[in-house]
Amino acid sequence: SLTPPSIPSTSPRPRGAGWQHKKLTKMATATLADMKWLARWNDPEVLFGDNTKYESDGGEGFDVGRFLILTVACHSFYWLVHFVSKATSTTYNGLKDASGRSTWCAYFASIVHGSTICYWSFPTVFAHWNAVTTMTNFDLMLPGMHKVFYLFSGYTLHDLIIVVAYMDGKPDDYLYVFHHLLTIAVWWYVISVDSFFALGAMMCCVEFTQPFLSLRWLFYEHKMQDSIYYKINALIIFVGWWVLRIFMLVGFMGSIVVAHALTSPSGIASHEVPIVVAWACGAVLQLVWGAKLTMGFLRVVFPGTFKKKKRT
């Protein structure tokens, strides 16, 4: 994706005592509490619709209200996982600090998010496979993708809140922040200019790996590193990452960008530049994280080899 990888390391990634999450959430809720967009929270169009109703009511471009409602919905689910886990899970209650419990809930939310995005995106891409794989311009539209882009952007803002609340200054933290801001900007731009939907749909398909990345950390917390399930999950992540994030997002989409630049009379148009730049940034992130993930996979398959270098 330009998807948030949130790659769990072989051991859980601790998050330091940065901003207090509850305080941050309370401040954000107080700021947004009296906004008119909250009245739309029970409108099915917010989750399932395109932009037709919004535009017929005088709206234009990106529906910020819808985006914020979906952010609140994702964050509410995250807190629901907190409450349910506290009442039912000994593993959750055994986690040592708030950042660990937050990561637990964030990964459950990630599993639901990634599964939903893929459930909506893959059928659309497969239904228009010939058009997608032979397109010579970026203007190809695919039906039913508005809801995917809005949910993706809302979830990403929710996850960004958690990343910022518990970041502890590690380089990956800043990559996550950059990735999340870039992702939100991409979906805002795609919807605002009403174009690039086919490219966006393929970006969404790489979310296939996200639930398995989250499961990896949860398996770890359940002390299942030596189980066949952990190894199968690692294999799915490895294959999925290389097929979808490297070969498709980096390679195939890169070939589309190059072909479009070479065949279009005007090359890359000015309104296409932000998408091309965003794709290039996303491609670099996938390669960086893919290298780390591949080494992690090799450590699972060949224990005792490819050991991490100790920092001095």
Side-chain angles (χ1 to χ4, degrees), residues 13-21 24 99 102-103 159-178 181:
R13 179 174 71 91
R15 284 172 172 169
W19 293 357
Q20 294 298 317
H21 190 199
L24 191 65
S99 64
S102 175
T103 302
D159 200 54
L160 177 61
I161 293 171
I162 299 171
V163 170
V164 172
Y166 291 104
M167 65 189 299
D168 57 6
K170 291 185 177 181
D172 271 358
D173 286 332
Y174 298 104
L175 285 180
Y176 291 142
V177 170
F178 172 72
L181 291 173

Side-chain angles (χ1 to χ4, degrees), residues 145-284:
M145 290 305 298
H146 277 92
K147 64 179 182 288
V148 185
F149 299 155
Y150 276 118
L151 177 60
F152 207 145
S153 58
Y155 167 83
T156 304
L157 179 57
H158 139 77
D159 200 54
L160 177 61
I161 293 171
I162 299 171
V163 170
V164 172
Y166 291 104
M167 65 189 299
D168 57 6
K170 291 185 177 181
D172 271 358
D173 286 332
Y174 298 104
L175 285 180
Y176 291 142
V177 170
F178 172 72
H179 171 274
H180 283 42
L181 291 173
L182 178 66
T183 300
I184 294 170
V186 165
W187 300 135
W188 168 81
Y189 191 74
V190 166
I191 292 173
S192 296
V193 300
D194 204 27
S195 188
F196 313 110
F197 274 48
L199 292 177
M202 286 192 288
M203 291 178 185
C204 289
C205 286
V206 305
E207 281 297 282
F208 171 83
T209 58
Q210 194 61 40
F212 299 99
L213 288 164
S214 299
L215 281 172
R216 180 183 173 186
W217 188 87
L218 294 170
F219 280 149
Y220 184 93
E221 288 302 320
H222 282 88
K223 313 299 181 186
M224 296 175 64
Q225 301 95 305
D226 297 325
S227 71
I228 187 64
Y229 304 109
Y230 188 85
K231 291 178 172 62
I232 291 174
N233 189 69
L235 178 62
I236 293 172
I237 294 171
F238 177 75
V239 173
W241 194 283
W242 275 91
V243 170
L244 294 172
R245 294 178 182 260
I246 305 299
F247 292 137
M248 188 183 79
L249 191 148
V250 178
F252 176 63
M253 290 182 63
S255 69
I256 293 176
V257 171
V258 172
H260 176 65
L262 295 177
T263 58
S264 175
S266 58
I268 301 295
S270 58
H271 78 284
E272 296 170 340
V273 171
I275 290 298
V276 173
V277 171
W279 165 80
C281 292
V284 170

Side-chain angles (χ1 to χ4, degrees), residues 23 61 63 68 116 172 217 224:
K23 182 178 180 180
D63 186 348
L68 293 175
T116 303
D172 271 358
W217 188 87
M224 296 175 64

Side-chain angles (χ1 to χ4, degrees), residues 11 23 27 32 46 97 109 118 125-126 129 158 197 208 270 273 282:
S11 59
K23 182 178 180 180
M27 290 171 60
L32 302 172
V46 169
D97 53 28
C118 289
V125 171
F126 288 146
W129 184 251
H158 139 77
F197 274 48
F208 171 83
S270 58
V273 171

